[in-house]
Amino acid sequence: MIFSVGALALLALQSVHAAPSLQKASSRGVKASEHTLALKPVSVKPGSSRELLSRVAKAKNTTHSASLNVVDEGGAYAIEANLGGKNFDVIFDTGSSDLWVFKSGVKCVTGTGHPAAASQCGFGPEFKGNFQGGSIKNETFYIAYADGEQLIGTLGYEDVTIAGVKVKKQEMALVDEAYWEGDGTASGIVGFASKYLTNAFPGTMPSNNTQPLHYNNFITNAVNSKAIDPVFGVVLERNNGSSSVTLGGVPAAFANAKYATTKLQKIEISPHLIEKTQYTYYTITPDGVVLNGESKSTSFAGIVDTGTTLLYLPEAMAEAVNAAFDPPSQYIKAAGVYENDCNAKPPTFGITIGGTTFNLTSEDLLPTGAEAKDPMTGGCVVGVQPSGSTYAILGDRFLVNTVAVFDIGAEEMKFAAHSY
Ligand SMILES: *[C@@H]1O[C@H](CO)[C@@H](O)[C@H](O)[C@H]1NC(C)=O
Ligand SMILES: *[C@@H]1O[C@H](CO)[C@@H](O)[C@H](O)[C@H]1NC(C)=O
Ligand SMILES: *[C@@H]1O[C@H](CO)[C@@H](O)[C@H](O)[C@H]1NC(C)=O
Ligand SMILES: *[C@@H]1O[C@H](CO)[C@@H](O)[C@H](O)[C@H]1NC(C)=O
Ligand SMILES: *[C@@H]1O[C@H](CO)[C@@H](O)[C@H](O)[C@H]1NC(C)=O
């Protein structure tokens, strides 16, 4: 997903969370109970992860891991969060920064704010009652994601535990009104990007949303309170597998993997929102791309975003990749996406980061599962789409081919190849 409205304006992204036809094709048949894996905090020795932490004066030697469950028909990954004593599955999103869940009685609205049946929103289990200490007075939560989803609510404090890491009195939001396209599993989202993308606004009017009051989000507080070292690792599997998030280090199974490293870039999202001196999204500059064996060293910024289903590339690059399919993909205006025959032959394609080319498999370039089929055309939605801006969004179709380490302390991203 997962751009707040300021970024949306700058990046002019059309649809990021999941491609529209993927959402239309959702069967919404997934039940929460089937996806609720037990939270299994484990402590592991870091092995070579310690080199990642060399800049940390007093590196701890424990990490905390939790499983991610596939939700939204494979379009997103959820993690269990304990909020004031109750567990909720929330979408794990490195492309936004707020933690929020639906409040009991949340209203479902259409994209234009008109009342809609709750079944249209597909809310997961709701948070009962209010914050233990009541809502923060005169402060409003408002967020609009790049796919159009919008949430309005109040803010307050709860003790939050994720992957066994507890932050006391964490500021978070309860949502009262939502334009949402869920499948009944996720109760909300937890954003792991920087505090400079949080969405608390002064006053009580959700429309008054130009000057956010940046608050410390979960990952910021977990790091600042020294509960974890300033690093986390993400392993995404294509299906219900062993996807995980590791807080405080690299995932144990990939401790000895060969990582390619690149600096986090500080991009200006919107003049009054963000100082260019801070990182906001996890933005990197790849060295280039390799299409059908041919290297192209083009410079573009890419945002590493677990909350986005597909890989979005700058227009010309997305067009070149889609033209290299056999037969070439077609841009379907009605759906706003490139589609192809589900039996088409994808090119070979990879993104080079820190000197290593991370290849997408055919399955990622042309997903052919039921969720990728466009019922209107019978075609399959291609895994590589145009971002509508000069930025790329390195979403799940890219990330499943890597192990991604978000080294906040060193202000670096590290990737290792994730082969199966
Ligand atoms: C990890 O830390 C514990 C105590 O905090 C210490 O006893 C142990 O020796 C450390 N292990 C390594 C491998 O550094
Ligand atoms: C995940 O696994 C459950 C139980 O095996 C299955 O019902 C569900 O369809 C799977 N979901 C996805 C997206 O693979
Ligand atoms: C709207 O936000 C501004 C700060 O950006 C604040 O000064 C003003 O009081 C707010 N207005 C209302 C009606 O909440
Ligand atoms: C609410 O906040 C706004 C903006 O910060 C302020 O102007 C207004 O006086 C506040 N109202 C109350 C009732 O505190
Ligand atoms: C990506 O594919 C190229 C060409 O087959 C290969 O040379 C390279 O090693 C692959 N990258 C990884 C990380 O396996």
Side-chain angles (χ1 to χ4, degrees), residues 41-200:
V42 292
S43 292
V44 293
K45 294 216 179 89
S48 68
S49 72
R50 248 176 309 164
E51 76 183 45
L52 296 178
L53 306 173
S54 52
R55 287 173 193 75
V56 180
K58 255 191 144 184
K60 298 186 177 51
N61 66 7
T62 51
T63 58
H64 305 264
S65 298
S67 335
L68 291 174
N69 310 322
V70 172
V71 294
D72 283 355
E73 299 286 306
Y77 295 83
I79 191 167
E80 194 170 78
N82 186 286
L83 312 176
K86 295 246 163 57
N87 288 333
F88 295 88
D89 280 346
V90 290
I91 290 171
F92 176 76
D93 184 18
T94 61
S96 70
S97 300
D98 299 285
L99 165 60
W100 62 263
V101 288
F102 300 113
K103 191 178 177 183
S104 54
V106 55
K107 277 192 297 182
C108 177
V109 297
T110 64
T112 49
H114 297 289
S119 58
Q120 287 198 23
C121 281
F123 297 133
E126 297 161 10
F127 186 101
K128 302 264 185 302
N130 200 0
F131 297 109
Q132 282 170 38
S135 301
I136 299 171
K137 294 212 166 43
N138 212 11
E139 211 173 294
T140 301
F141 176 67
Y142 169 79
I143 191 165
Y145 296 110
D147 60 359
E149 290 176 317
Q150 283 188 57
L151 296 312
I152 294 171
T154 56
L155 295 117
Y157 303 94
E158 286 294 342
D159 292 350
V160 174
T161 304
I162 295 174
V165 174
K166 183 169 188 173
V167 172
K168 286 191 174 164
K169 295 212 162 95
Q170 173 60 52
E171 185 162 350
M172 59 164 286
L174 292 178
V175 163
D176 304 304
E177 188 178 313
Y179 169 49
W180 181 250
E181 299 194 46
D183 67 355
T185 50
S187 293
I189 291 183
V190 60
F192 264 55
S194 93
K195 63 176 279 189
Y196 296 100
L197 294 176
T198 53
N199 288 279

Side-chain angles (χ1 to χ4, degrees), residues 262-263 265 267 282-290 296-304 311-318 321 349-353 358 360 384-385 387 389-395 398:
T262 189
K263 274 280 169 208
Q265 304 292 323
I267 57 169
Y282 295 101
T283 310
I284 60 168
T285 308
D287 307 336
V289 301
V290 182
K296 297 174 195 289
S297 53
T298 53
S299 177
F300 63 97
I303 294 168
V304 185
L311 170 60
Y312 290 81
L313 295 174
E315 184 89 30
M317 205 182 292
V321 174
F349 180 70
I351 299 178
T352 309
I353 297 169
F358 296 97
L360 278 77
V384 177
Q385 300 288 342
S387 67
S389 80
T390 56
Y391 290 85
I393 317 293
L394 307 178
F398 172 74

